[in-house]
Amino acid sequence: MFRRCVRSEPAFVARRCNHLLLLPLGFLILATQSPAQVTLGPVTVGAGLQTSFVNTEPDAGNSTNQFLLNSVRLYINGPVYDDIKFMFNTEYDASTNKIGVLDAVARIEVSPMFNIWVGRFLPPSDRANLYGPYFSHEWAVYSDGIQDGYPFVFQGRDNGVVYWGQFAKKIKVSAGAFDGKSATGNPEVLGAARVQIDFWDQEDGYYLNGTYYGDKNLLAIGGASQIQSGHVASTLDFLMERKLPNGGVVSVESEYSNYNRLGGYDAGYAKSQGAYGLASYLFPKKVGVGKFEILGKYAKAQFTHGLTPNYDQKTTEVNFNYVIKQFNARVMTFFKDTRFNNVRPDFWQAGVGLQVQM
């Protein structure tokens, strides 16, 4: 737990003050030792780091080679009282070299079927937004023009309130209201909702994963939508993952998105839509301390209704990963090719990324 640093004052007070003033100090010491103060339950503190080396080769212009500090996060979670919990996470923003508030949430969690979150967090949206970069399957997440094009304040988050619940261990629903002005500049409230069905193993909790590395046999379909002033953003996502008899794991992920005057990757275009498909195979044999994985992805997004000509973005990505301890330790080599139908300069990137969490 992080605490404010203060000077220890008892000796100073004893030397400078009348003995009667020590009585309130005694009561204060007793109060800090009361059961209500010391039995709140465990507070968990964690951290995450993503760093990489990237070579970028544009079709026009000079190539670049960069060592990047992509992301640093600090996590604090703990109970407040009975069914009330608190979550506070921070994120280092590499573009500004500053640390910002990622999540700040009062969590009222009464049962699997009744949960209320209030504060800043990920609104109901696509699976890609709900797993974030640290629990995604691929390295170059959120660069295809499709994943998580919903409006946000910071890193996919918005300020608001949401209800979410899980029924029959198979159906998960969420719906909430969020601050529109912070996310889009429009002062009207932004509404968000999501429904997900798990046909095989269940997924507990509000946030999701992009893969479970074989810990679950998963077949899940989810649909989400956000609306503000008649403008709508919608997505449909799919994830299938199966552990094979030989110990290997095959995974297939896909998403379709339609951003109709709300969200999207390019503010110069009122509408965009697209889809991607991703497939991976985790090899069963352990080599050293981890396992190797091969992953491929193809995405196509279309941007229309702008002041300049419409264009397509086609993104191809290949990863060859070394998974040491799932999301807590993994090394990911990647190649990504991005093309824009001659409207913008095409480019490709290759590099290696490291992720560690505790």
Side-chain angles (χ1 to χ4, degrees):
M1 177 184 296
F2 294 97
R3 299 179 180 176
R4 183 183 302 168
C5 295
V6 296
R7 181 179 62 178
S8 180
E9 298 287 354
F12 175 84
V13 172
R15 288 196 301 267
R16 294 288 192 269
C17 302
N18 188 283
H19 289 184
L20 292 176
L21 297 181
L22 296 180
L23 291 176
L25 181 61
F27 288 123
L28 179 60
I29 293 173
L30 290 174
T32 59
Q33 296 176 342
S34 66
Q37 297 292 324
V38 298
T39 58
L40 290 178
V43 174
T44 61
V45 178
L49 166 71
Q50 286 187 340
T51 185
S52 64
F53 171 78
V54 183
N55 169 250
T56 302
E57 296 282 350
D59 283 0
N62 298 323
S63 63
T64 60
N65 293 281
Q66 293 180 285
F67 287 94
L68 300 173
L69 182 59
N70 301 84
S71 172
V72 181
R73 293 184 174 182
L74 296 177
Y75 314 116
I76 304 175
N77 290 269
V80 176
Y81 179 77
D82 291 341
D83 299 323
I84 304 175
K85 302 174 184 177
F86 178 69
M87 176 171 65
F88 178 64
N89 304 324
T90 67
E91 163 83 5
Y92 165 77
D93 188 342
S95 62
T96 63
N97 201 36
K98 295 181 179 179
I99 296 176
V101 175
L102 188 66
D103 300 286
V105 192
R107 299 160 48 192
I108 304 170
E109 300 178 349
V110 179
S111 71
M113 295 182 292
F114 187 85
N115 304 273
I116 301 291
W117 285 17
V118 183
R120 174 177 292 184
F121 53 93
L122 294 172
S125 45
D126 57 345
R127 174 180 286 271
N129 191 34
L130 291 170
Y131 55 58
Y134 282 85
F135 293 88
S136 68
H137 204 164
E138 81 227 60
W139 177 262
V141 70
Y142 313 128
S143 60
D144 58 9
I146 298 165
Q147 294 174 311
D148 184 29
Y150 292 99
F152 61 88
V153 175
F154 182 62
Q155 298 291 347
R157 274 72 176 171
D158 199 0
N159 307 324
V161 57
V162 72
Y163 158 81
W164 68 272
Q166 192 163 353
F167 300 86
K169 299 182 179 181
K170 297 295 183 182
I171 302 173
K172 188 182 298 185
V173 298
S174 57
F178 295 85
D179 185 59
K181 187 173 183 180
S182 298
T184 67
N186 182 344
E188 294 294 323
V189 169
L190 191 153
R194 175 179 172 86
V195 177
Q196 177 179 315
I197 302 175
D198 290 312
F199 292 95
W200 296 346
D201 292 346
Q202 70 182 79
E203 296 179 271
D204 296 322
Y206 181 71
Y207 288 171
L208 301 172
N209 286 6
T211 178
Y212 290 86
Y213 290 114
D215 286 349
K216 291 180 182 292
N217 290 320
L218 196 67
L219 179 61
I221 297 177
S225 187
Q226 295 185 5
I227 184 169
Q228 184 188 43
S229 301
H231 302 162
V232 181
S234 299
T235 53
L236 182 65
D237 52 75
F238 168 86
L239 178 62
M240 187 278 291
E241 188 162 284
R242 193 81 183 179
K243 190 169 185 177
L244 304 178
N246 68 350
V249 180
V250 62
S251 181
V252 177
E253 180 185 352
S254 182
E255 178 177 327
Y256 167 76
S257 67
N258 189 326
Y259 304 110
N260 186 357
R261 305 184 189 278
L262 182 66
Y265 274 66
D266 192 331
Y269 293 82
K271 295 183 179 182
S272 65
Q273 62 178 335
Y276 72 82
L278 177 155
S280 72
Y281 179 70
L282 180 68
F283 292 90
K285 185 178 179 180
K286 197 169 186 178
V287 180
V289 295
K291 295 181 179 180
F292 286 106
E293 179 187 53
I294 184 73
L295 178 150
K297 175 185 174 184
Y298 178 77
K300 181 179 179 180
Q302 299 175 319
F303 297 85
T304 62
H305 295 77
L307 297 178
T308 53
N310 300 341
Y311 73 92
D312 295 343
Q313 176 183 338
K314 298 178 181 179
T315 308
T316 303
E317 181 182 356
V318 177
N319 289 183
F320 186 61
N321 305 324
Y322 187 55
V323 183
I324 301 169
K325 193 179 179 182
Q326 298 191 1
F327 302 108
N328 288 345
R330 56 183 184 174
V331 180
M332 309 175 75
T333 59
F334 57 90
F335 171 83
K336 187 185 72 165
D337 182 70
T338 306
R339 302 192 173 274
F340 297 100
N341 289 1
N342 298 319
V343 175
R344 297 182 177 187
D346 300 334
F347 68 93
W348 62 265
Q349 293 180 314
V352 57
L354 170 67
Q355 174 174 309
V356 294
Q357 286 193 106
M358 64 176 189

